[in-house]
Coordinates of all heavy atoms in Angstrom, one line a residue:
M156 N -4.9 -1.0 -17.8 CA -5.8 -2.1 -17.7 C -6.1 -2.4 -16.2 O -7.2 -2.9 -16.0 CB -5.0 -3.3 -18.3 CG -5.9 -4.5 -18.4 SD -5.1 -5.6 -19.6 CE -6.4 -6.8 -19.8
L157 N -5.2 -2.1 -15.3 CA -5.5 -2.3 -13.9 C -6.3 -1.2 -13.3 O -6.7 -1.2 -12.2 CB -4.2 -2.6 -13.1 CG -3.4 -3.8 -13.5 CD1 -2.1 -3.9 -12.7 CD2 -4.3 -5.0 -13.2
L158 N -6.4 -0.1 -14.0 CA -7.0 1.1 -13.5 C -8.5 0.9 -13.3 O -9.1 1.3 -12.2 CB -6.8 2.3 -14.5 CG -7.4 3.6 -14.0 CD1 -6.8 4.0 -12.7 CD2 -7.2 4.7 -15.0
L159 N -9.2 0.2 -14.2 CA -10.6 0.0 -14.1 C -11.0 -0.8 -12.8 O -11.9 -0.4 -12.0 CB -11.2 -0.7 -15.3 CG -12.7 -0.9 -15.3 CD1 -13.5 0.4 -15.1 CD2 -13.1 -1.6 -16.6
P160 N -10.3 -1.9 -12.5 CA -10.6 -2.6 -11.3 C -10.4 -1.8 -10.0 O -11.1 -1.9 -9.1 CB -9.7 -3.9 -11.3 CG -9.4 -4.1 -12.7 CD -9.4 -2.7 -13.4
A161 N -9.3 -1.0 -10.1 CA -9.0 -0.1 -8.9 C -10.1 0.9 -8.7 O -10.5 1.2 -7.6 CB -7.7 0.6 -9.1
V162 N -10.6 1.5 -9.8 CA -11.7 2.5 -9.7 C -13.0 1.8 -9.2 O -13.7 2.4 -8.4 CB -12.0 3.1 -11.1 CG1 -13.2 3.9 -11.1 CG2 -10.8 4.0 -11.5
I163 N -13.3 0.6 -9.7 CA -14.5 -0.1 -9.2 C -14.3 -0.4 -7.8 O -15.3 -0.3 -7.0 CB -14.7 -1.4 -10.1 CG1 -15.1 -1.0 -11.5 CG2 -15.7 -2.3 -9.4 CD1 -15.1 -2.1 -12.5
L164 N -13.2 -0.9 -7.3 CA -12.9 -1.2 -5.9 C -13.1 0.0 -5.1 O -13.7 0.0 -4.0 CB -11.5 -1.8 -5.8 CG -11.1 -2.2 -4.4 CD1 -12.0 -3.4 -3.9 CD2 -9.7 -2.6 -4.3
A165 N -12.5 1.2 -5.5 CA -12.6 2.4 -4.7 C -14.1 2.9 -4.6 O -14.5 3.3 -3.6 CB -11.8 3.5 -5.4
A166 N -14.8 2.8 -5.7 CA -16.2 3.2 -5.7 C -17.0 2.3 -4.8 O -17.9 2.8 -4.0 CB -16.8 3.1 -7.1
G167 N -16.8 1.0 -4.8 CA -17.5 0.1 -4.0 C -17.2 0.3 -2.5 O -18.0 0.3 -1.6
A168 N -15.9 0.6 -2.2 CA -15.5 0.9 -0.8 C -16.1 2.2 -0.3 O -16.6 2.2 0.8 CB -14.0 1.0 -0.8
S169 N -16.2 3.2 -1.2 CA -16.9 4.4 -0.8 C -18.3 4.2 -0.4 O -18.8 4.7 0.6 CB -16.8 5.5 -1.9 OG -15.4 5.8 -2.1
L170 N -19.0 3.4 -1.2 CA -20.4 3.1 -0.9 C -20.6 2.3 0.4 O -21.5 2.6 1.2 CB -21.1 2.3 -2.1 CG -21.3 3.1 -3.4 CD1 -21.8 2.2 -4.5 CD2 -22.2 4.3 -3.2
I171 N -19.7 1.4 0.6 CA -19.8 0.6 1.8 C -19.5 1.5 3.0 O -20.2 1.4 4.0 CB -18.8 -0.6 1.8 CG1 -19.2 -1.6 0.7 CG2 -18.6 -1.2 3.1 CD1 -18.2 -2.6 0.4
I172 N -18.5 2.3 2.9 CA -18.2 3.2 4.0 C -19.3 4.1 4.3 O -19.7 4.3 5.5 CB -16.9 4.0 3.7 CG1 -15.7 3.1 3.7 CG2 -16.7 5.2 4.7 CD1 -14.4 3.7 3.1
L173 N -19.9 4.7 3.3 CA -21.0 5.7 3.5 C -22.2 4.9 4.1 O -22.9 5.5 5.0 CB -21.4 6.3 2.2 CG -20.4 7.3 1.7 CD1 -20.8 7.8 0.3 CD2 -20.2 8.5 2.6
D174 N -22.6 3.7 3.7 CA -23.7 3.0 4.2 C -23.4 2.6 5.7 O -24.3 2.8 6.5 CB -23.9 1.7 3.5 CG -24.5 1.9 2.1 OD1 -25.1 3.0 1.9 OD2 -24.5 0.9 1.3
Y175 N -22.2 2.2 6.0 CA -21.9 1.9 7.4 C -22.0 3.1 8.3 O -22.5 3.0 9.4 CB -20.5 1.3 7.4 CG -20.1 0.7 8.8 CD1 -20.6 -0.6 9.1 CD2 -19.3 1.3 9.7 CE1 -20.3 -1.1 10.3 CE2 -18.9 0.8 10.9 CZ -19.4 -0.5 11.2 OH -19.1 -1.0 12.4
L176 N -21.4 4.2 7.9 CA -21.5 5.4 8.7 C -22.9 5.9 8.9 O -23.2 6.5 9.9 CB -20.5 6.5 8.1 CG -19.1 6.1 8.2 CD1 -18.3 7.3 7.5 CD2 -18.6 6.0 9.6
A177 N -23.7 5.7 7.9 CA -25.1 6.2 8.0 C -25.9 5.4 9.0 O -26.9 5.9 9.6 CB -25.8 6.2 6.6
I178 N -25.5 4.2 9.2 CA -26.3 3.3 10.1 C -25.9 3.4 11.5 O -26.7 3.4 12.4 CB -26.2 1.8 9.6 CG1 -26.8 1.7 8.2 CG2 -26.8 0.8 10.5 CD1 -26.6 0.4 7.5
V179 N -24.6 3.4 11.8 CA -24.1 3.3 13.2 C -23.0 4.3 13.4 O -22.4 4.8 12.4 CB -23.6 1.9 13.5 CG1 -24.6 0.8 13.4 CG2 -22.4 1.5 12.6
D180 N -22.8 4.6 14.6 CA -21.6 5.4 15.0 C -20.5 4.3 15.3 O -20.6 3.6 16.3 CB -21.9 6.2 16.3 CG -20.8 7.1 16.7 OD1 -19.9 7.4 15.8 OD2 -20.7 7.4 17.9
P181 N -19.5 4.2 14.4 CA -18.6 3.1 14.5 C -17.7 3.2 15.7 O -17.4 4.3 16.2 CB -17.8 3.2 13.2 CG -17.9 4.6 12.8 CD -19.2 5.0 13.3
P182 N -17.2 2.1 16.3 CA -16.2 2.1 17.3 C -15.0 2.8 16.9 O -14.7 3.0 15.7 CB -15.9 0.6 17.6 CG -17.1 -0.1 17.0 CD -17.6 0.7 15.9
K183 N -14.2 3.3 17.8 CA -13.0 4.1 17.5 C -12.0 3.4 16.6 O -11.5 4.0 15.6 CB -12.2 4.4 18.8 CG -11.0 5.3 18.5 CD -10.4 5.9 19.7 CE -9.2 6.7 19.5 NZ -8.7 7.0 18.3
D184 N -11.8 2.0 16.8 CA -10.9 1.4 15.9 C -11.4 1.3 14.4 O -10.6 1.5 13.5 CB -10.5 0.0 16.4 CG -11.7 -0.9 16.8 OD1 -12.8 -0.5 16.5 OD2 -11.5 -1.9 17.5
V185 N -12.7 1.1 14.3 CA -13.3 1.1 12.9 C -13.2 2.5 12.3 O -12.9 2.7 11.2 CB -14.7 0.6 13.0 CG1 -15.4 0.7 11.6 CG2 -14.7 -0.9 13.5
A186 N -13.5 3.5 13.1 CA -13.5 4.9 12.6 C -12.0 5.3 12.2 O -11.8 5.9 11.2 CB -14.0 5.9 13.7
D187 N -11.1 4.8 13.0 CA -9.7 5.1 12.7 C -9.3 4.4 11.4 O -8.6 4.9 10.6 CB -8.7 4.7 13.8 CG -8.9 5.5 15.1 OD1 -9.5 6.6 15.0 OD2 -8.4 5.1 16.1
G188 N -9.7 3.1 11.2 CA -9.5 2.4 10.0 C -10.1 3.0 8.8 O -9.4 3.1 7.8
L189 N -11.3 3.5 8.9 CA -11.9 4.2 7.8 C -11.2 5.4 7.4 O -11.0 5.7 6.2 CB -13.4 4.5 8.1 CG -14.3 3.3 8.2 CD1 -15.7 3.7 8.8 CD2 -14.5 2.6 6.9
S190 N -10.8 6.2 8.4 CA -10.1 7.4 8.2 C -8.8 7.1 7.5 O -8.4 7.8 6.5 CB -9.8 8.2 9.5 OG -9.1 9.3 9.3
A191 N -8.0 6.1 8.0 CA -6.8 5.8 7.3 C -7.0 5.3 5.9 O -6.2 5.6 5.0 CB -6.1 4.7 8.2
F192 N -8.0 4.5 5.7 CA -8.3 3.9 4.4 C -8.6 5.0 3.4 O -8.1 5.0 2.3 CB -9.5 2.9 4.5 CG -9.8 2.2 3.2 CD1 -9.1 1.0 2.9 CD2 -10.7 2.7 2.3 CE1 -9.4 0.4 1.7 CE2 -11.0 2.0 1.1 CZ -10.4 0.8 0.8
E193 N -9.4 6.0 3.8 CA -9.8 7.1 2.9 C -8.5 8.0 2.6 O -8.5 8.6 1.5 CB -10.8 8.0 3.6 CG -12.2 7.3 3.6 CD -13.2 8.1 4.4 OE1 -12.9 9.0 5.1 OE2 -14.4 7.7 4.3
R194 N -7.6 8.1 3.5 CA -6.4 8.9 3.3 C -5.4 8.1 2.4 O -4.4 8.7 2.0 CB -5.7 9.2 4.6 CG -6.4 10.3 5.4 CD -5.5 10.7 6.6 NE -4.7 9.7 7.3 CZ -5.1 9.0 8.3 NH1 -6.3 9.2 8.9 NH2 -4.4 8.1 8.9
G195 N -5.6 6.8 2.2 CA -4.6 6.0 1.5 C -3.5 5.4 2.4 O -2.5 4.9 1.9
D196 N -3.7 5.5 3.7 CA -2.8 5.0 4.7 C -3.1 3.5 4.9 O -3.8 3.2 5.9 CB -2.8 5.8 6.0 CG -1.9 5.3 7.0 OD1 -1.1 4.4 6.8 OD2 -2.1 5.7 8.2
N197 N -2.7 2.7 4.0 CA -3.0 1.3 4.1 C -2.5 0.6 5.3 O -3.2 -0.3 5.9 CB -2.6 0.5 2.8 CG -3.3 1.0 1.6 OD1 -4.5 1.1 1.6 ND2 -2.5 1.4 0.6
V198 N -1.3 0.9 5.8 CA -0.7 0.3 7.0 C -1.6 0.7 8.2 O -1.9 -0.1 9.0 CB 0.8 0.7 7.2 CG1 1.3 0.2 8.5 CG2 1.6 0.2 6.0
G199 N -1.9 2.0 8.3 CA -2.8 2.4 9.4 C -4.1 1.7 9.4 O -4.7 1.4 10.4
A200 N -4.7 1.6 8.2 CA -6.0 0.9 8.0 C -5.9 -0.6 8.5 O -6.7 -1.1 9.2 CB -6.5 1.0 6.6
I201 N -4.8 -1.2 8.0 CA -4.6 -2.6 8.4 C -4.5 -2.8 9.9 O -5.1 -3.7 10.5 CB -3.3 -3.2 7.7 CG1 -3.6 -3.4 6.2 CG2 -2.9 -4.5 8.3 CD1 -2.4 -3.6 5.4
K202 N -3.7 -1.9 10.6 CA -3.6 -1.9 12.0 C -4.9 -1.7 12.7 O -5.3 -2.5 13.6 CB -2.6 -0.9 12.5 CG -1.2 -1.2 12.2 CD -0.2 -0.1 12.6 CE 1.2 -0.4 12.2 NZ 2.1 0.7 12.6
A203 N -5.7 -0.7 12.3 CA -7.0 -0.4 12.9 C -8.0 -1.5 12.7 O -8.7 -2.0 13.6 CB -7.5 0.9 12.4
F204 N -8.1 -2.0 11.5 CA -9.1 -3.1 11.2 C -8.7 -4.4 11.8 O -9.6 -5.2 12.2 CB -9.3 -3.2 9.7 CG -10.1 -2.0 9.1 CD1 -9.6 -1.3 8.0 CD2 -11.3 -1.6 9.7 CE1 -10.3 -0.3 7.5 CE2 -12.0 -0.6 9.1 CZ -11.5 0.1 8.0
S205 N -7.4 -4.6 12.0 CA -6.9 -5.8 12.7 C -7.4 -5.8 14.1 O -7.8 -6.8 14.7 CB -5.4 -6.0 12.6 OG -5.0 -6.3 11.2
Q206 N -7.2 -4.6 14.7 CA -7.6 -4.4 16.1 C -9.1 -4.6 16.2 O -9.6 -5.2 17.2 CB -7.2 -3.0 16.6 CG -7.4 -2.8 18.1 CD -6.6 -3.7 18.9 OE1 -5.5 -4.1 18.6 NE2 -7.2 -4.1 20.1
A207 N -9.9 -4.0 15.3 CA -11.3 -4.2 15.3 C -11.7 -5.6 15.2 O -12.7 -6.1 15.8 CB -12.0 -3.4 14.2
Q208 N -11.0 -6.4 14.4 CA -11.3 -7.8 14.2 C -11.1 -8.6 15.5 O -11.8 -9.5 15.8 CB -10.5 -8.4 13.0 CG -10.9 -9.8 12.7 CD -10.2 -10.3 11.5 OE1 -9.3 -9.6 10.9 NE2 -10.4 -11.5 11.1
K209 N -10.0 -8.2 16.2 CA -9.7 -8.9 17.5 C -10.8 -8.5 18.5 O -11.1 -9.4 19.3 CB -8.3 -8.4 18.0 CG -7.2 -9.0 17.2 CD -5.9 -8.4 17.7 CE -4.7 -8.8 16.8 NZ -3.5 -8.1 17.1
R210 N -11.3 -7.3 18.5 CA -12.3 -6.9 19.4 C -13.6 -7.6 19.2 O -14.3 -8.0 20.1 CB -12.5 -5.4 19.3 CG -13.6 -4.8 20.2 CD -13.8 -3.3 20.0 NE -13.9 -2.9 18.7 CZ -15.0 -3.1 17.9 NH1 -16.0 -3.7 18.3 NH2 -15.0 -2.7 16.6
C211 N -14.0 -7.8 17.9 CA -15.2 -8.4 17.5 C -15.1 -9.2 16.3 O -15.1 -8.7 15.2 CB -16.3 -7.3 17.3 SG -17.9 -7.9 16.9
E212 N -14.9 -10.5 16.5 CA -14.6 -11.4 15.3 C -15.7 -11.5 14.4 O -15.6 -11.9 13.2 CB -14.2 -12.8 15.8 CG -12.9 -12.8 16.6 CD -12.5 -14.2 17.1 OE1 -13.2 -15.2 16.7 OE2 -11.6 -14.3 17.9
S213 N -17.0 -11.2 14.8 CA -18.1 -11.3 13.9 C -18.4 -10.0 13.1 O -19.4 -10.0 12.4 CB -19.3 -11.7 14.7 OG -19.7 -10.7 15.6
D214 N -17.5 -9.0 13.2 CA -17.7 -7.8 12.5 C -17.3 -7.9 11.0 O -16.1 -7.8 10.7 CB -16.9 -6.6 13.2 CG -17.1 -5.3 12.5 OD1 -17.9 -5.2 11.5 OD2 -16.6 -4.3 13.1
I215 N -18.3 -8.3 10.2 CA -18.0 -8.6 8.8 C -17.5 -7.3 8.1 O -16.6 -7.4 7.2 CB -19.2 -9.2 8.1 CG1 -19.5 -10.5 8.7 CG2 -19.0 -9.3 6.6 CD1 -20.8 -11.1 8.2
F216 N -18.0 -6.2 8.4 CA -17.5 -4.9 7.8 C -16.0 -4.7 8.0 O -15.3 -4.5 7.0 CB -18.3 -3.7 8.3 CG -17.8 -2.4 7.8 CD1 -18.3 -2.0 6.5 CD2 -17.0 -1.6 8.5 CE1 -17.8 -0.8 6.0 CE2 -16.5 -0.4 8.0 CZ -16.9 0.0 6.7
S217 N -15.6 -4.9 9.2 CA -14.1 -4.7 9.5 C -13.3 -5.7 8.8 O -12.2 -5.5 8.3 CB -13.9 -4.7 11.0 OG -14.5 -3.6 11.6
Q218 N -13.8 -7.0 8.8 CA -13.1 -8.0 8.1 C -12.9 -7.7 6.6 O -11.9 -7.9 6.0 CB -13.8 -9.4 8.3 CG -13.8 -9.9 9.7 CD -14.6 -11.2 9.8 OE1 -15.2 -11.7 8.9 NE2 -14.6 -11.7 11.0
R219 N -14.0 -7.3 6.0 CA -14.0 -6.9 4.6 C -13.0 -5.7 4.3 O -12.2 -5.7 3.4 CB -15.3 -6.6 4.0 CG -15.3 -6.4 2.5 CD -16.7 -6.4 2.0 NE -16.7 -6.3 0.5 CZ -16.5 -5.3 -0.2 NH1 -16.2 -4.1 0.4 NH2 -16.5 -5.3 -1.5
M220 N -13.1 -4.7 5.1 CA -12.2 -3.6 5.0 C -10.8 -3.9 5.2 O -9.9 -3.4 4.6 CB -12.7 -2.4 5.9 CG -14.0 -1.8 5.6 SD -14.1 -1.1 3.9 CE -12.9 0.2 4.0
L221 N -10.5 -4.9 6.1 CA -9.2 -5.4 6.3 C -8.7 -6.0 5.0 O -7.5 -5.8 4.6 CB -9.1 -6.3 7.5 CG -7.7 -6.9 7.8 CD1 -6.7 -5.9 8.1 CD2 -7.9 -7.9 9.0
G222 N -9.5 -6.8 4.4 CA -9.1 -7.4 3.1 C -8.9 -6.4 2.0 O -7.9 -6.5 1.3
M223 N -9.7 -5.4 2.0 CA -9.5 -4.3 1.0 C -8.2 -3.5 1.3 O -7.5 -3.1 0.3 CB -10.7 -3.4 1.0 CG -11.9 -4.0 0.4 SD -13.4 -3.0 0.6 CE -13.1 -1.7 -0.4
S224 N -7.9 -3.3 2.6 CA -6.6 -2.7 2.9 C -5.4 -3.5 2.5 O -4.4 -3.0 2.0 CB -6.6 -2.4 4.4 OG -7.7 -1.5 4.8
Y225 N -5.5 -4.8 2.8 CA -4.4 -5.7 2.3 C -4.3 -5.6 0.8 O -3.2 -5.5 0.3 CB -4.7 -7.1 2.7 CG -4.5 -7.5 4.1 CD1 -5.3 -8.3 4.8 CD2 -3.3 -7.1 4.8 CE1 -5.1 -8.7 6.1 CE2 -3.1 -7.4 6.1 CZ -4.0 -8.3 6.8 OH -3.7 -8.6 8.1
H226 N -5.4 -5.6 0.1 CA -5.4 -5.6 -1.4 C -4.7 -4.3 -1.8 O -3.9 -4.3 -2.7 CB -6.8 -5.7 -1.9 CG -6.9 -5.6 -3.4 ND1 -6.6 -6.6 -4.2 CD2 -7.1 -4.5 -4.2 CE1 -6.7 -6.2 -5.5 NE2 -7.0 -4.9 -5.5
N227 N -5.1 -3.1 -1.3 CA -4.5 -1.9 -1.7 C -3.0 -1.8 -1.4 O -2.3 -1.1 -2.1 CB -5.3 -0.7 -1.0 CG -6.6 -0.5 -1.5 OD1 -7.0 -1.0 -2.5 ND2 -7.4 0.3 -0.8
Y228 N -2.6 -2.5 -0.3 CA -1.2 -2.5 0.0 C -0.4 -3.6 -0.8 O 0.8 -3.7 -0.7 CB -1.0 -2.9 1.5 CG 0.3 -2.5 2.1 CD1 0.7 -1.2 2.1 CD2 1.1 -3.5 2.6 CE1 2.0 -0.9 2.7 CE2 2.4 -3.2 3.2 CZ 2.8 -1.9 3.2 OH 4.0 -1.5 3.7
R229 N -1.2 -4.2 -1.7 CA -0.6 -5.2 -2.6 C -0.2 -6.5 -1.9 O 0.7 -7.2 -2.4 CB 0.5 -4.7 -3.5 CG 0.0 -3.5 -4.3 CD 1.0 -3.1 -5.3 NE 0.7 -1.9 -6.0 CZ -0.1 -1.9 -7.1 NH1 -0.5 -3.0 -7.6 NH2 -0.4 -0.7 -7.7
W230 N -0.8 -6.8 -0.8 CA -0.6 -8.1 -0.1 C -1.8 -9.0 -0.5 O -2.7 -9.2 0.2 CB -0.6 -7.9 1.4 CG 0.6 -7.3 2.0 CD1 1.8 -6.9 1.3 CD2 0.9 -7.0 3.4 NE1 2.7 -6.3 2.2 CE2 2.2 -6.4 3.4 CE3 0.2 -7.2 4.5 CZ2 2.7 -6.0 4.7 CZ3 0.7 -6.8 5.7 CH2 2.0 -6.2 5.8
H231 N -1.7 -9.4 -1.7 CA -2.8 -10.1 -2.3 C -3.1 -11.5 -1.7 O -4.3 -11.8 -1.6 CB -2.6 -10.3 -3.8 CG -2.5 -9.0 -4.5 ND1 -3.6 -8.2 -4.7 CD2 -1.4 -8.3 -5.0 CE1 -3.2 -7.0 -5.4 NE2 -1.9 -7.1 -5.5
D232 N -2.1 -12.2 -1.2 CA -2.4 -13.4 -0.5 C -3.1 -13.2 0.8 O -4.1 -13.9 1.1 CB -1.0 -14.2 -0.2 CG -0.4 -14.7 -1.5 OD1 -1.1 -14.8 -2.5 OD2 0.8 -15.0 -1.5
E233 N -2.7 -12.2 1.5 CA -3.4 -11.9 2.8 C -4.8 -11.4 2.5 O -5.7 -11.7 3.2 CB -2.6 -10.8 3.6 CG -1.3 -11.3 4.1 CD -1.5 -12.3 5.2 OE1 -2.5 -12.3 6.0 OE2 -0.7 -13.2 5.2
A234 N -5.0 -10.6 1.5 CA -6.3 -10.1 1.1 C -7.2 -11.3 0.8 O -8.4 -11.4 1.2 CB -6.2 -9.2 -0.1
L235 N -6.7 -12.3 0.0 CA -7.5 -13.4 -0.4 C -7.9 -14.2 0.9 O -9.1 -14.6 1.0 CB -6.7 -14.3 -1.4 CG -7.5 -15.5 -1.9 CD1 -8.8 -15.1 -2.6 CD2 -6.6 -16.3 -2.8
R236 N -6.9 -14.4 1.8 CA -7.3 -15.1 3.0 C -8.3 -14.4 3.8 O -9.2 -15.0 4.4 CB -6.0 -15.3 3.9 CG -5.1 -16.5 3.4 CD -4.0 -16.7 4.5 NE -2.9 -17.2 3.7 CZ -1.8 -16.4 3.4 NH1 -1.8 -15.2 3.9 NH2 -0.8 -16.9 2.7
Q237 N -8.2 -13.1 3.9 CA -9.2 -12.3 4.6 C -10.6 -12.4 3.9 O -11.6 -12.5 4.6 CB -8.7 -10.9 4.7 CG -9.6 -10.0 5.7 CD -9.6 -10.6 7.1 OE1 -8.5 -11.0 7.6 NE2 -10.7 -10.5 7.7
Y238 N -10.6 -12.3 2.6 CA -11.9 -12.4 1.9 C -12.5 -13.8 2.2 O -13.7 -13.9 2.3 CB -11.7 -12.1 0.4 CG -11.4 -10.7 0.1 CD1 -10.5 -10.4 -0.9 CD2 -12.1 -9.6 0.7 CE1 -10.2 -9.1 -1.3 CE2 -11.8 -8.3 0.4 CZ -10.9 -8.1 -0.6 OH -10.6 -6.8 -1.0
Q239 N -11.7 -14.8 2.2 CA -12.2 -16.1 2.4 C -12.8 -16.2 3.8 O -13.8 -16.9 4.0 CB -11.1 -17.2 2.2 CG -10.8 -17.4 0.8 CD -9.6 -18.3 0.6 OE1 -8.7 -18.4 1.4 NE2 -9.5 -18.8 -0.6
T240 N -12.2 -15.5 4.8 CA -12.8 -15.5 6.1 C -14.2 -14.9 6.1 O -15.1 -15.3 6.8 CB -11.9 -14.7 7.1 OG1 -10.6 -15.3 7.1 CG2 -12.4 -14.6 8.5
V241 N -14.3 -13.8 5.3 CA -15.6 -13.1 5.3 C -16.7 -14.1 4.6 O -17.8 -14.1 5.0 CB -15.5 -11.8 4.5 CG1 -16.9 -11.2 4.2 CG2 -14.6 -10.8 5.2
W242 N -16.3 -14.8 3.6 CA -17.2 -15.6 2.8 C -17.6 -16.9 3.6 O -18.6 -17.5 3.2 CB -16.6 -16.1 1.5 CG -16.3 -14.9 0.6 CD1 -17.0 -13.8 0.5 CD2 -15.2 -14.8 -0.4 NE1 -16.4 -12.9 -0.5 CE2 -15.4 -13.6 -1.0 CE3 -14.2 -15.7 -0.8 CZ2 -14.5 -13.2 -2.0 CZ3 -13.4 -15.3 -1.8 CH2 -13.5 -14.0 -2.4
Q243 N -16.9 -17.3 4.6 CA -17.2 -18.5 5.3 C -18.4 -18.4 6.2 O -18.8 -17.5 6.8 CB -16.0 -19.0 6.1 CG -14.9 -19.5 5.2 CD -13.7 -20.0 6.0 OE1 -13.6 -19.7 7.2 NE2 -12.8 -20.6 5.3

């Protein structure tokens, strides 16, 4: 029952990642976060996207990817807080 939301989340993340990479050459911290996220290294992704967020607070892509990394790591409260940051 939880498999379908996970598949939808993964498909959405893949599309977002591909769109982002097609438009710009991402900064190193964002590229590292994307690489870690794709490998399933949620801790590495959280560290990299947290660093990207500190570097540029208005980077909505990194904020959203940080929320997705928290979600994948099953830190649902942190993920929700991060998503709320993006929505504001």
Side-chain angles (χ1 to χ4, degrees):
M156 187 164 194
L157 295 176
L158 183 60
L159 182 59
V162 170
I163 292 170
L164 182 64
S169 297
L170 291 175
I171 291 167
I172 291 168
L173 292 174
D174 284 348
Y175 188 78
L176 291 177
I178 295 171
V179 297
D180 184 23
K183 181 171 179 2
D184 48 12
V185 175
D187 290 346
L189 289 171
S190 177
F192 186 85
E193 289 174 348
R194 289 190 318 268
D196 176 10
N197 296 309
V198 173
I201 289 168
K202 288 178 183 178
F204 290 126
S205 294
Q206 187 64 33
Q208 187 177 0
K209 289 176 187 172
R210 179 184 45 77
C211 182
E212 292 179 11
S213 63
D214 183 357
I215 294 174
F216 176 80
S217 293
Q218 291 177 1
R219 185 170 187 283
M220 292 303 297
L221 179 57
M223 292 172 64
S224 299
Y225 282 139
H226 177 82
N227 288 349
Y228 198 62
R229 299 188 188 273
W230 286 0
H231 298 287
D232 291 340
E233 291 296 324
L235 183 59
R236 279 190 215 101
Q237 189 61 38
Y238 289 140
Q239 288 171 338
T240 299
V241 174
W242 295 331
Q243 291 177 348

